[in-house]
Amino acid sequence: MTAAKTHKKHVLIVGGGAAGMSAAFAFSQHPDLFDVVVYERSASPGGMATSTPIDKEKYGADYINDGVQGASPVFHNTYAMFDKLGFSASDVGMQVSFGRNPETEFWSNVFPSQVIDRFSPDIKKFGKVLKIIKAMEPVFALISVSAMLRMFMFSKVRFNLSMAFVISPSIQEFGEVIVFPLVALFFGTGNQTPFISCAILERVFMDPNMRLFEYSSDTFLASIPTMRAFPRLSDLYSAWKTLVEKDGQGSVRIINGREVTRVERFSSKKIGGVSVWSRPTKGTNNEQSVVDPGEEIQETFDELVICTDADAALALLAKDARWLEKRVLGNVKYLWDITVTHNDIDYMERYYRVKYDPCLNSRKDTHDHDKQQKFKFAEKHFSPLYFIRSYPSDKRKSLGFETFFSSDITITKFDGVPPRGPQLTRDSDMNSSSSQESAQGGIPLEKHVFQTIFLDNSPDSARLWSKDEIDPEKIILEKWWKQQSHRWQHYAGTVPWMGLINGKV
C-alpha cells in the first residue's frame, strides 16, 4: 500500500542573520516536510555580521569585520558551523586596556597598575561577593550592578598628590573605575551599565559556559584569555546560504533585498496560517534603513518564524500583537550605537594607552617575582585588542549612580590570516604571547585599523562623545547598530516568559 503524500508546510523566516540562517539550516535537513523561504531586507545575509573592504596597501589588510568581531571559545555550536562551512576562527590573546591616566584610570589584564593598588581591598571583597551572587542567583538576577555595589558597601576613594589614599564619600568609586567599564566591555551597554543584572556579571566570571575572564584577588583579572577572531563574515554567510539551499534540495530559498512590512494571523483557529506583506529593497544603508523600497505584495504562509529584534517583531505584528507579546517583547530596551572605523592613531593615543609605559606599573611589592614577570611580558608584548574608557566630564552623575556611563570600545584588526581563517595543524598553534608579538611586529601601529564604538545615542550619552575629534580624513566607515540592553528588567520581564509566546499561533 502506498503511503499518502505528506503535505509540506509553507514557512517564512523573517531575517537572515545568525538566528534566521540557523533556522533555515534546521529546516533544510527535512526537505520532505517543509517548503521554506527566508526574507532578508539587506542585500546579503548576516544581519549585524558584515564585512567592509579596505585598502590593503594602506592598512595591511583587505577587509575588516564590523558589527561582530569575534567571541569566546565557549560558543561550540558557532565554531561547529564554521567547520562545516570550511571556515575557522583565529585564536588571539584578549588583552584589554582601560583608561589612560596612570593614577586614576588605567588598568589592564596584562600587568598590575596603580589603580589596582588603590582598589585592592575592594578587589578582594569582589571575589567573595561573586560567590554569594552565585549561591543566590535567582534573587540577584533581579538586582542591578549598581544596587549590588551599594548593598555590599564597596568603597569610594579620594586620591591625592602624595600617592596616598583614604576612604571617602566622593571622587571615585570601585564601580566607576573597575566594574562599570568591564561590564560595558562585555555587553556594550553605555549609560545603561549600572542597571545590568549583577547575576549576568557573576556568570562572566563563574559560569563555565559564559566565562570570559578568570578572577584574581590580587589583580582583579588573572590572565589573558583566548578569544577567537572571526573569519571574513561576508564570505562565511555567502557559503552558509549556498549550503542551506543545497541541503534543502530546492525546499529552502534565501531571498536578499526583501523586507517584510507587516503580518496578520488568520482569525479562525481552524484555518491557521498567516498573511504577510513584503516589498523589494536595494539593501540597507549605514543607518540601517532600507534603500529604495518597492511595491508591497501579499502572500500566505502556514508558519512564520520571526528572527528579528523584539522591536521589529512588534512592529511587524502591529495591531495583531497580543497582550502578552506586547508585554514580553515591549520590555526589551534597545540602544543605538555608532561604530567609527578609522586609523587615527593620534586620537587613540590621546585617550588610551596604546603602548606600554613603565609609569603605568603598580607601585606595591615591586620586587615581587610574579609582578616582575608581568612587567617584562608587557614590555615586549603589550598589544591590547580592546580599549575602553568612561567619560570623566560629569562626575556628579557617576557619584550618584545615575545614568552616566558612556564609553569607547575599540577593536584592533590585524592582518595575517586568509578570509576563511587560519588553516592550522596541531603543531602550528601559537600561544597568546607569540601571537601578540607577531601581530605587533607585522604591521606598523600607524597602519592599524581601529573601530571605536560610541555607545547609546541618547542625549545624556551622545553629548559626551568624542566622535568629532577623530580626523575625518582617517575615517573609513561610520555605521549605526541597534544594541540590546542587558538591564535586570530584561531578565525579570522577558527571558522567563519567552516560552509562553514562542510557537503560539
Side-chain angles (χ1 to χ4, degrees):
M1 185 171 66
T2 305
K5 185 176 180 179
T6 304
H7 170 68
K8 294 174 68 172
K9 281 194 173 183
H10 193 30
V11 181
L12 172 66
I13 299 172
V14 183
M21 293 298 290
S22 297
F25 175 76
F27 281 121
S28 74
Q29 307 305 298
H30 305 280
D32 55 326
L33 299 179
F34 303 101
D35 181 20
V36 180
V37 61
V38 178
Y39 285 166
E40 165 56 44
R41 65 204 290 264
S42 301
S44 57
M48 291 180 60
T50 59
S51 305
T52 298
I54 58 177
D55 186 341
K56 186 167 185 175
E57 289 292 321
K58 190 173 183 180
Y59 304 118
D62 60 1
Y63 77 95
I64 185 167
N65 290 330
D66 49 62
V68 182
Q69 288 283 351
S72 165
V74 301
F75 296 105
H76 305 295
N77 289 339
T78 297
Y79 302 117
M81 181 56 72
F82 282 12
D83 291 341
K84 189 174 185 66
L85 295 170
F87 288 76
S88 56
S90 311
D91 285 353
V92 294
M94 188 178 173
Q95 295 191 22
V96 184
S97 174
F98 296 87
R100 176 172 174 78
N101 188 296
E103 297 180 358
T104 61
E105 296 176 323
F106 175 80
W107 64 282
S108 173
N109 65 329
V110 181
F111 63 97
S113 69
Q114 297 170 48
V115 168
I116 295 299
D117 292 345
R118 292 169 49 206
F119 288 107
S120 180
D122 294 287
I123 290 170
K124 288 179 168 57
K125 181 195 290 187
F126 187 77
K128 298 175 183 177
V129 170
L130 285 177
K131 294 178 181 178
I132 295 172
I133 296 173
K134 184 173 180 62
M136 303 177 65
E137 191 174 89
V139 174
F140 281 96
L142 306 181
I143 298 175
S144 68
V145 171
S146 61
M148 177 271 291
L149 292 169
R150 293 196 304 271
M151 182 185 303
F152 290 100
M153 296 186 292
F154 282 92
S155 68
K156 306 172 183 181
V157 301
R158 173 176 287 153
F159 190 69
N160 62 36
L161 296 177
S162 67
M163 304 299 291
F165 64 93
V166 293
I167 302 300
S168 165
S170 61
I171 307 303
Q172 284 190 313
E173 297 174 348
F174 175 66
E176 176 189 335
V177 179
I178 303 292
V179 179
F180 291 161
L182 188 67
V183 172
L185 170 63
F186 290 153
F187 302 115
T189 43
N191 69 5
Q192 293 295 307
T193 297
F195 312 116
I196 303 307
S197 166
C198 63
I200 300 303
L201 174 62
E202 168 263 314
R203 284 196 172 192
V204 298
F205 281 99
M206 308 283 281
D207 188 334
N209 295 318
M210 287 184 65
R211 181 182 297 157
L212 295 175
F213 286 104
E214 181 183 352
Y215 164 77
S216 166
S217 60
D218 295 322
T219 58
F220 193 61
L221 302 181
S223 60
I224 302 172
T226 297
M227 177 181 172
R228 291 187 178 170
F230 291 162
R232 189 168 188 159
L233 292 172
S234 57
D235 290 353
L236 185 144
Y237 272 89
S238 177
W240 200 352
K241 177 178 182 291
T242 300
L243 174 69
V244 166
E245 293 180 333
K246 177 177 176 291
D247 283 3
Q249 302 172 33
S251 68
V252 180
R253 293 173 296 140
I254 298 171
I255 299 177
N256 300 317
R258 187 151 205 96
E259 179 188 38
V260 176
T261 55
R262 67 186 177 100
V263 301
E264 185 176 323
R265 287 168 285 210
F266 294 152
S267 57
S268 172
K269 292 184 178 180
K270 293 181 179 179
I271 300 175
V274 60
S275 288
V276 175
W277 287 261
S278 67
R279 61 186 181 180
T281 76
K282 293 184 179 178
T284 54
N285 58 25
N286 289 340
E287 286 74 41
Q288 302 300 327
S289 299
V290 296
V291 178
D292 294 336
E295 289 189 20
E296 287 185 345
I297 63 170
Q298 181 182 355
E299 300 171 276
T300 300
F301 294 87
D302 297 319
E303 299 286 353
L304 177 69
V305 183
I306 301 178
C307 296
T308 69
D309 60 69
D311 281 358
L314 279 178
L316 292 180
L317 293 169
K319 294 180 180 180
D320 199 40
R322 294 162 182 159
W323 177 84
L324 189 58
E325 291 167 341
K326 292 177 182 178
R327 294 283 296 185
V328 174
L329 298 178
N331 182 62
V332 183
K333 182 178 178 62
Y334 288 95
L335 312 172
W336 279 97
D337 310 334
I338 186 170
T339 298
V340 181
T341 302
H342 64 93
N343 76 318
D344 188 348
I345 187 61
D346 292 334
Y347 171 85
M348 295 299 299
E349 292 188 321
R350 188 180 311 134
Y351 288 114
Y352 305 103
R353 290 291 177 170
V354 180
K355 303 172 184 175
Y356 172 73
D357 188 327
C359 79
L360 304 171
N361 290 356
S362 163
R363 303 294 175 84
K364 288 178 61 178
D365 302 323
T366 56
H367 297 294
D368 178 82
H369 176 73
D370 184 57
K371 281 191 174 182
Q372 288 297 321
Q373 291 297 107
K374 289 182 177 180
F375 295 152
K376 288 179 181 179
F377 176 87
E379 186 177 359
K380 293 182 179 180
H381 306 302
F382 185 65
S383 181
L385 189 66
Y386 289 88
F387 303 83
I388 187 167
R389 70 185 180 98
S390 57
Y391 295 117
S393 60
D394 198 341
K395 291 294 184 183
R396 175 179 53 82
K397 283 192 173 185
S398 65
L399 289 173
F401 285 93
E402 301 290 337
T403 307
F404 77 96
F405 189 87
S406 298
S407 65
D408 299 343
I409 301 176
T410 310
I411 305 171
T412 311
K413 173 70 182 178
F414 299 114
D415 193 21
V417 295
R420 297 185 75 85
Q423 308 303 311
L424 298 177
T425 65
R426 290 183 180 178
D427 295 330
S428 63
D429 292 332
M430 297 186 293
N431 62 33
S432 60
S433 62
S434 60
S435 296
Q436 293 298 325
E437 186 176 26
S438 173
Q440 205 168 35
I443 299 174
L445 192 58
E446 293 73 20
K447 277 194 168 187
H448 283 185
V449 174
F450 304 95
Q451 289 184 323
T452 302
I453 307 176
F454 295 94
L455 300 172
D456 185 9
N457 192 31
S458 68
D460 275 352
S461 294
R463 68 183 178 82
L464 302 174
W465 287 359
S466 54
K467 175 174 167 288
D468 292 342
E469 296 181 36
I470 300 175
D471 185 349
E473 297 296 320
K474 296 183 178 180
I475 292 177
I476 301 167
L477 178 71
E478 295 185 11
K479 200 164 187 177
W480 286 91
W481 304 101
K482 195 175 184 180
Q483 169 78 4
Q484 176 190 312
S485 168
H486 293 261
R487 306 176 305 160
W488 68 266
Q489 293 95 330
H490 181 73
Y491 298 94
T494 299
V495 174
W497 314 111
M498 283 299 295
L500 299 180
I501 64 173
N502 277 328
K504 307 300 180 184
V505 178

